[in-house]
Amino acid sequence: MYRTRLFAIRHSGKFEWMYQRLEKLMIVLDPVFARIGYNRVEQPVALIEKGVKGLLFDCKMCGQCVLSSTGMSCPMNCPKELRNGPCGGVRPGGYCEVKPNMLCVWALAWDGSTRMKGGNKIREVLPPVDRSLKGSSAWLRVSREKAAKLREARESARTTIAQAFPAARANEPSSAPLAEEPSRAVNKEQRQ
Amino acid sequence: MTNSDTLEPFLRPYEPPPEGHVSGSRLERVLRSGRFAVTAELNPPDSADPADVYEAARPLGEVVDAINATDASGANCHMSSIGISALLTRAGYGPVYQISCRDRNRIAIQGDVLGAAAMGVRNVLCLTGDGVGVGDQPGAKPVFDFDSITLLRTIRTMRDQGVFLSGRKITNPPHLFLGAAENPCIEPHDWRPDRLAKKVEAGADFIQTNYIFDIPLFEKFMNRVRDLGMDKKVFILAGVGPLASAKAARWMRSNVPGIHIPDSVIARMEGAEKPAAEGKKICIELIQRIREIQGVSGVHVMAYRREHQVSEIIIESGVLEGRHAKRKSRKRGE
């Protein structure tokens, strides 16, 4: 709804805070999702996401959510689906060129970004939309990627050792293991 | 003679650009040498006859560094910008090939960029494009697969990394001087300079602005552009054009997207005895005032249906510093 969309932009700072909490929760849940299977959680999560974001932001489920970089103003509501700022046709008063009764999505985005901690992200150049991801859950995509990145960071020491001793890795894999150790295999004293 | 032998002389050879240049186009050379550049828009014909393109280009060729070939501007269908650009390169003109995101998806656009470069095109202007609703065929499907900024970054990637967006290699990447548009006198005024910075970040080498009729507003915009240091990173060409009459000005203001004409300009047109001459005079004055603004590297003249006035406007404004006029007067003296 247009009205709730404007409300969300007016309170962009709060929605930014809320989303960051949600993202953290989703990252914590990564092992659970992985266990159930990301394919299986995709549909129900996407459904919830569609409901929540559809109500608040008129979300179009592009699957590549950038609300945190666009002042909580969804760029897919721009009739030209612009991802990087307003076009040159904005009407006096900040109204849309194509839909004269709607305020320019990007004029609102710049406004919303001023109330956000990460408001400067609006200056980053965003890539074109991958249309093949339409309908999929952006929440899952983000948390899955961030969880993988955290895992990678945890394992980077192990990878470095493996790369520094390639022969040992080839002949005696157990001397330079790459796979994550099950928690009971790690020395309890070390863990403390 | 084989067919390719006969065609060869008409095509610009695929040669590396000069040191420190990205394209080797005349526009780039003029701008990098610090001279005040002049570009103009060609009104595209509704015709399949190449002679119509050359006829429209002739009055511009003498006085400009590059001719813009518009891509269905205002969403009205005309001869394509790639067709016009290809014809212009054959006659030795330096076209600015305009690409709008409204009508083609990323597959078509990247292919066209290579095709245009192969035809000798060295300047590209990346545009989002007006919505289909304002044009002559409002029932068309708006594409907008890219926006102007993702388009800029895509062509820059093709040029500098030598790959398509898919990562597939381009054996001979295109040498292109990348342009973008900006509309300084349109809302949101405060953010326009930041959007310009984003275009520079995405890959713009030069900017051609939309019509400027409001000098104080443009000066304010340029102040902020200089604060951001953008005048050092990109060449800015300010857009100007002659108005035909007060009525035409009012019509443009309310029907063409993205045009801001202050009431004072319209009042001046209304009070004039010869509106067309007054429109020309205003345009010349605008060019002269714009030239004094720090950080402006040139002007872009858009004279819709008034192309006969373009060369007079440019010569009378004095921006050519005698570089063309001198050559002309010498000819006369001979």
Side-chain angles (χ1 to χ4, degrees), chain B residues 1-150:
Chain B
M1 250 194 200
T2 64
N3 210 8
S4 72
D5 283 338
T6 55
L7 276 178
E8 223 163 355
F10 296 101
L11 292 177
R12 184 180 176 144
Y14 185 79
E15 60 203 1
E19 189 68 27
H21 289 227
V22 292
S23 73
S25 77
R26 169 167 163 175
L27 179 62
E28 183 179 8
R29 277 183 277 127
V30 166
L31 285 169
R32 290 203 195 279
S33 72
R35 278 175 291 171
F36 196 76
V38 180
T39 58
E41 196 172 273
L42 180 136
N43 296 324
D46 292 337
S47 148
D49 185 350
D52 292 334
V53 173
Y54 293 131
E55 202 178 308
R58 204 168 298 124
L60 307 177
E62 275 279 291
V63 287
V64 302
D65 299 306
I67 298 173
N68 278 54
T70 58
D71 185 7
S73 68
N76 290 302
C77 190
H78 304 289
M79 188 192 285
S80 72
S81 58
I82 195 167
I84 292 171
S85 299
L87 288 170
L88 291 179
T89 58
R90 287 185 187 193
Y93 297 110
V96 177
Y97 166 43
Q98 296 195 185
I99 307 176
S100 138
C101 298
R102 178 191 53 239
D103 310 312
R104 280 184 298 279
N105 72 5
R106 63 191 77 179
I107 301 171
I109 288 177
Q110 290 173 76
D112 278 349
V113 165
L114 288 190
M119 288 304 301
V121 172
R122 295 292 179 265
N123 311 300
V124 172
L125 185 70
C126 300
L127 302 167
T128 296
D130 301 314
V132 295
V134 296
D136 61 344
Q137 296 174 56
K141 180 176 183 182
V143 178
F144 297 112
D145 190 18
F146 279 148
D147 59 36
S148 58
I149 293 180
T150 53

Side-chain angles (χ1 to χ4, degrees), chain B residues 103-306:
Chain B
D103 310 312
R104 280 184 298 279
N105 72 5
R106 63 191 77 179
I107 301 171
I109 288 177
Q110 290 173 76
D112 278 349
V113 165
L114 288 190
M119 288 304 301
V121 172
R122 295 292 179 265
N123 311 300
V124 172
L125 185 70
C126 300
L127 302 167
T128 296
D130 301 314
V132 295
V134 296
D136 61 344
Q137 296 174 56
K141 180 176 183 182
V143 178
F144 297 112
D145 190 18
F146 279 148
D147 59 36
S148 58
I149 293 180
T150 53
L151 174 60
L152 274 169
R153 182 56 71 79
T154 301
I155 302 180
R156 191 182 82 177
T157 306
M158 291 172 73
R159 181 189 73 193
D160 296 349
Q161 263 81 52
V163 290
F164 292 108
L165 220 46
S166 65
R168 195 149 45 81
K169 203 173 168 336
I170 299 167
T171 52
N172 281 311
H175 306 309
L176 293 167
F177 195 40
L178 290 182
E182 189 46 77
N183 206 348
C185 302
I186 292 294
E187 291 194 50
H189 296 122
D190 294 347
W191 298 113
R192 290 283 165 194
D194 296 86
R195 179 170 172 264
L196 180 101
K198 220 168 159 179
K199 291 195 168 185
V200 174
E201 173 65 26
D205 301 309
F206 70 97
I207 300 287
Q208 289 177 317
T209 79
N210 222 306
Y211 286 105
I212 311 275
F213 288 106
D214 193 333
I215 295 284
L217 208 52
F218 183 56
E219 273 174 339
K220 208 175 141 208
F221 168 85
M222 284 304 298
N223 283 341
R224 176 84 181 120
V225 165
R226 285 196 301 273
D227 287 347
L228 291 169
M230 284 303 135
D231 57 322
K232 302 276 186 293
K233 290 185 175 175
V234 72
F235 299 105
I236 299 169
L237 283 77
V240 289
L243 294 165
S245 64
K247 196 180 151 206
R250 271 205 202 87
W251 183 87
M252 270 170 75
R253 188 162 69 167
S254 48
N255 290 292
V256 184
I259 293 187
H260 163 73
I261 305 174
D263 293 331
S264 59
V265 172
I266 291 182
R268 201 175 141 187
M269 289 295 291
E270 216 143 46
E273 256 176 54
K274 292 179 183 164
E278 189 67 16
K280 186 179 133 187
K281 206 172 148 214
I282 292 173
C283 187
I284 291 171
E285 286 173 20
L286 284 170
I287 294 176
Q288 287 165 343
R289 289 182 69 183
I290 283 167
R291 201 188 177 183
E292 300 304 315
I293 300 171
Q294 208 192 328
V296 178
S297 305
V299 282
H300 175 51
V301 187
M302 294 166 282
Y304 182 66
R305 288 189 183 154
R306 314 206 70 71

Side-chain angles (χ1 to χ4, degrees), chain A residues 67-109:
Chain A
L67 281 169
S68 302
S69 300
T70 60
M72 293 290 153
S73 175
C74 171
M76 300 310 275
N77 285 305
C78 163
K80 300 183 184 178
E81 297 187 348
L82 301 184
R83 284 248 155 181
N84 284 293
C87 71
V90 182
R91 291 167 192 267
Y95 287 91
C96 173
E97 172 199 320
V98 182
K99 294 180 177 171
N101 296 322
M102 182 178 84
L103 282 165
C104 167
V105 165
W106 274 99
L108 292 170

Side-chain angles (χ1 to χ4, degrees), chain A residues 40-190:
Chain A
R40 266 189 277 183
V41 287
E42 170 69 38
Q43 229 179 352
V45 174
L47 205 70
I48 297 168
E49 189 176 333
K50 191 177 177 179
V52 174
K53 278 167 47 180
L55 181 77
L56 288 170
F57 312 108
D58 278 345
C59 167
K60 301 283 184 278
M61 288 303 280
C62 68
Q64 300 187 280
C65 192
V66 288
L67 281 169
S68 302
S69 300
T70 60
M72 293 290 153
S73 175
C74 171
M76 300 310 275
N77 285 305
C78 163
K80 300 183 184 178
E81 297 187 348
L82 301 184
R83 284 248 155 181
N84 284 293
C87 71
V90 182
R91 291 167 192 267
Y95 287 91
C96 173
E97 172 199 320
V98 182
K99 294 180 177 171
N101 296 322
M102 182 178 84
L103 282 165
C104 167
V105 165
W106 274 99
L108 292 170
W110 281 101
D111 177 45
S113 71
T114 57
R115 285 183 287 275
M116 287 165 65
K117 275 188 184 147
N120 260 332
K121 282 201 279 181
I122 200 165
R123 292 170 203 281
E124 302 291 337
V125 176
L126 292 172
V129 185
D130 182 339
R131 316 278 161 175
S132 67
L133 300 176
K134 191 171 170 61
S136 62
S137 164
W139 285 350
L140 279 177
R141 184 160 291 113
V142 172
S143 63
R144 193 180 186 180
E145 280 226 353
K146 291 206 170 166
K149 217 172 178 187
L150 287 172
R151 219 177 304 127
E152 224 171 76
R154 276 202 303 274
E155 286 176 3
S156 72
R158 214 191 300 274
T159 314
T160 310
I161 290 173
Q163 279 168 351
F165 300 90
R169 170 94 197 116
N171 301 328
E172 222 44 277
S174 65
S175 69
L178 268 177
E180 198 167 6
E181 303 286 323
S183 54
R184 66 182 122 75
V186 180
N187 192 323
K188 271 188 187 159
E189 280 171 36
Q190 243 180 15

